[in-house]
Amino acid sequence: MTSPRVIDNMQSSFKQMNVSSSPGVVSTSPTSSFMNAMSQRLSAAKQAKTLKPFSTGDMKILLLENVNQTAIDIFNEQGYQVEFYKSSLPEEELIAKIRDVHAIGIRSKTKLTAEILKHAKNLVCIGCFCIGTNQVDLDYAATRGISVFNSPFSNSRSVAELVIAEVISLARQLGDRSIELHTGTWNKVSHRCWEVRGKTLGIVGYGHIGSQLSVLAEAFGMHVLYYDIVTIMALGTAKQVSTLDELLNRSDFVTLHVPATEETENMISAPQLAAMKDGAYLINASRGTVVDIPSLIQAIKFGKIAGAALDVYPNEPAKNGSGVFNDELNPWISELVSLPNVILTPHIGGSTEEAQSAIGVEVAASLSKYINEGNSVGAVNFPEVSLRSLDLDQENTVRVLYIHHNVPGVLKTVNNILSDHNIEKQFSDSRGNIAYLIADISDVNMGGIKDIYDRLNETQYKISIRLLY
């Protein structure tokens, strides 16, 4: 819950951000330009009132793991205090830093466990500047009223392009030929080198990455099969198969695009590798726990699998450096790196300038809108709630953000407290045991703001309260 000092010093505004002007972002399309122009004209006709929830100088944002400059720029525009680190932090230092910050931005290496989050006295929201959120204890964060945001789509193209590059590289043994030539060996061969045209690509997980990959693969003349736990309409001429085994039996290349869950842990192990075609290839750019790598090593040694490309691993180094990818991290690494036609990359699937810039904009905008407006649309652990902006002529209006346990009678209690004022608009939603109410109330003076806060703070089932005005 945010501190009373932050609540009682509510004085700032949320500046409307023009995403297309951020560094590194690709220029907008003609359609986007037209829509932006229309939006600016509408804004000029009826400007939205900016809420003033706090003194921006009091808001502290902690950014770790070299979050993109676009995010830093957005937070600096808000006037927030931004503390930035290029790497993750040791647990003790992270606990010390997180005590007083209101938002934290991380990527995949920082683990925000319940043990760490319980020290975060003022934390309002968490930004995962990546696709995955398994590095955060989402349920515990929700019970503390901490909303978590990510960027599920922004690096989809980057990952898809890397996989296409790896398909071709494995088919032509490019990694081995390059290493050989770097060491002075000339080895011009065509044995077991193939065109990808006419081959079958099997995609496990037909989401945003898998579907983009499907289109790219067909452009290369490949046949595409995909397996997913839900029925999804195919793009192009791709075909969905009903079982994982069917996909493995029929595919020359198998690529994985699934989240890290109990169901996907070691989903590709010895039985699945045995079900693959002789001489097939395996690519994993999803999560390191999805493939049983010791079994993969054996399958490559016996010649069952002709090659593999891995971008993710069960345990990954906390920071860049020489010698950190070793057997102490994972006991099979020295054996893995000795295998032929195995491409190993350091979790760079989404690491392009374009993707990181877009992720920085998307997540920073989500955090800023949640801090400044209470807009939780896009939250992964939280009810998604928003209200339209206030108009400039709406004076003495307060936006109430009330997070509470989802039990009967709470809304009645809250509305009784707000009933002395006109409730102009209100929206509430729940997700599991957590509920979130936003209400705009008018005819409220400065004294009334403190009274509303104090009375809401005394309610039995509240988790967190913020008042924006």
Side-chain angles (χ1 to χ4, degrees):
M1 174 180 150
T2 52
S3 65
R5 181 178 64 81
V6 173
I7 298 293
D8 295 339
N9 289 283
M10 301 171 174
Q11 294 179 350
S12 187
S13 62
F14 176 58
K15 299 178 182 177
Q16 191 172 12
M17 292 167 291
N18 184 349
V19 172
S20 64
S21 64
S22 300
V25 177
V26 177
S27 60
T28 55
S29 66
T31 301
S32 299
S33 298
F34 173 77
M35 294 303 296
N36 288 339
M38 289 298 295
S39 176
Q40 291 170 5
R41 291 180 184 178
L42 290 172
S43 297
K46 189 173 186 179
Q47 294 183 6
K49 178 180 181 180
T50 52
L51 299 171
K52 301 178 180 180
F54 42 75
S55 171
T56 53
D58 288 337
M59 296 303 295
K60 297 179 180 179
I61 313 294
L62 177 63
L63 300 178
L64 306 178
E65 302 184 63
N66 205 26
V67 166
N68 193 263
Q69 183 64 39
T70 53
I72 300 172
D73 292 341
I74 288 172
F75 291 135
N76 283 334
E77 287 173 5
Q78 301 306 306
Y80 303 156
Q81 295 183 45
V82 179
E83 190 171 1
F84 170 81
Y85 292 87
K86 288 189 174 183
S87 65
S88 57
L89 297 177
E91 184 171 321
E92 290 187 6
E93 188 176 354
L94 178 58
I95 289 173
K97 293 287 185 184
I98 207 172
R99 292 184 192 277
D100 298 317
V101 300
H102 301 89
I104 181 171
I106 62 173
R107 294 176 69 185
S108 58
K109 291 184 175 64
T110 300
K111 310 300 180 186
L112 294 180
T113 62
E115 180 61 31
I116 290 174
L117 290 175
K118 74 179 184 181
H119 297 279
K121 299 179 296 182
N122 295 330
L123 196 63
V124 172
C125 50
I126 297 168
C128 296
F129 288 76
C130 51
I131 293 178
T133 56
N134 56 300
Q135 67 273 40
V136 179
D137 190 328
L138 299 177
D139 293 336
Y140 182 80
T143 64
R144 294 288 302 273
I146 302 168
S147 188
V148 180
F149 298 88
N150 69 334
S151 180
F153 317 128
S154 293
N155 67 1
S156 300
R157 182 69 177 197
S158 299
V159 178
E161 288 186 4
L162 177 68
V163 171
I164 282 292
E166 290 174 335
V167 166
I168 296 172
S169 296
L170 290 172
R172 299 295 298 274
Q173 302 178 18
L174 292 184
D176 289 0
R177 299 295 85 77
S178 177
I179 292 173
E180 289 165 355
L181 209 53
H182 274 280
T183 58
T185 300
W186 184 271
N187 187 20
K188 183 179 178 180
V189 296
S190 59
H191 180 61
R192 297 183 66 81
C193 293
W194 317 96
E195 294 181 358
V196 299
R197 179 182 55 174
K199 305 303 186 295
T200 298
L201 176 66
I203 302 172
V204 182
Y206 201 68
H208 295 280
I209 296 172
S211 56
Q212 286 210 37
L213 175 59
S214 172
V215 174
L216 294 175
E218 286 198 354
F220 278 90
M222 301 187 77
H223 307 296
V224 176
L225 302 176
Y226 64 93
Y227 169 74
D228 203 292
I229 58 175
V230 297
T231 301
I232 302 176
M233 185 178 71
L235 298 179
T237 61
K239 293 181 175 62
Q240 183 166 9
V241 296
S242 58
T243 67
L244 177 60
D245 272 355
E246 182 181 357
L247 179 137
L248 298 174
N249 293 159
R250 297 172 57 185
S251 300
D252 300 297
F253 298 83
V254 174
T255 179
L256 309 172
H257 303 282
V258 296
T261 65
E262 291 182 2
E263 291 73 22
T264 63
E265 184 173 356
N266 287 337
M267 72 178 298
I268 302 296
S269 190
Q272 291 75 34
L273 292 165
M276 292 175 65
K277 280 185 173 183
D278 291 344
Y281 304 85
L282 180 68
I283 299 169
N284 184 22
S286 59
R287 288 291 179 263
T289 55
V290 172
V291 175
D292 176 10
I293 295 182
S295 293
L296 174 63
I297 291 172
Q298 295 306 311
I300 294 173
K301 282 186 171 183
F302 287 124
K304 171 67 177 180
I305 302 299
L310 303 177
D311 187 48
V312 288
Y313 311 89
N315 298 299
E316 298 179 357
K319 58 184 179 180
N320 293 342
S322 176
V324 295
F325 190 65
N326 54 41
D327 285 344
E328 292 182 8
L329 193 67
N330 297 290
W332 33 256
I333 284 180
S334 59
E335 195 172 8
L336 179 67
V337 300
S338 68
L339 296 173
N341 206 24
V342 172
I343 300 170
L344 304 176
T345 50
H347 204 150
I348 58 171
S351 297
T352 61
E353 293 287 353
E354 294 91 343
Q356 292 306 308
S357 176
I359 289 170
V361 171
E362 181 180 2
V363 179
S366 295
L367 296 181
S368 296
K369 287 181 73 66
Y370 183 69
I371 292 169
N372 292 3
E373 299 179 5
N375 185 336
S376 63
V377 173
V380 297
N381 69 328
F382 217 67
E384 296 188 71
V385 175
S386 67
L387 285 183
R388 68 181 184 274
S389 300
L390 301 173
D391 297 333
L392 283 175
D393 56 359
Q394 292 178 271
E395 297 182 358
N396 300 322
T397 301
V398 173
R399 176 162 292 183
V400 177
L401 311 178
Y402 183 80
I403 304 166
H404 61 92
H405 295 286
N406 186 24
V407 297
V410 174
L411 293 183
K412 180 180 179 181
T413 301
V414 172
N415 284 328
N416 283 339
I417 294 172
L418 303 180
S419 62
D420 292 338
H421 308 278
N422 180 44
I423 301 178
E424 295 193 345
K425 50 186 180 290
Q426 183 182 72
F427 187 75
S428 178
D429 199 4
S430 63
R431 180 170 179 167
N433 296 322
I434 307 300
Y436 181 29
L437 165 74
I438 298 183
D440 286 344
I441 56 175
S442 58
D443 304 320
V444 187
N445 56 31
M446 293 299 295
I449 293 175
K450 186 178 186 306
D451 177 65
I452 291 169
Y453 177 80
D454 290 341
R455 292 173 66 187
L456 289 174
N457 197 40
E458 293 172 359
T459 55
Q460 181 178 359
Y461 295 107
K462 64 93 179 156
I463 294 174
S464 179
I465 307 162
R466 290 196 295 143
L467 303 182
L468 313 181
Y469 67 95

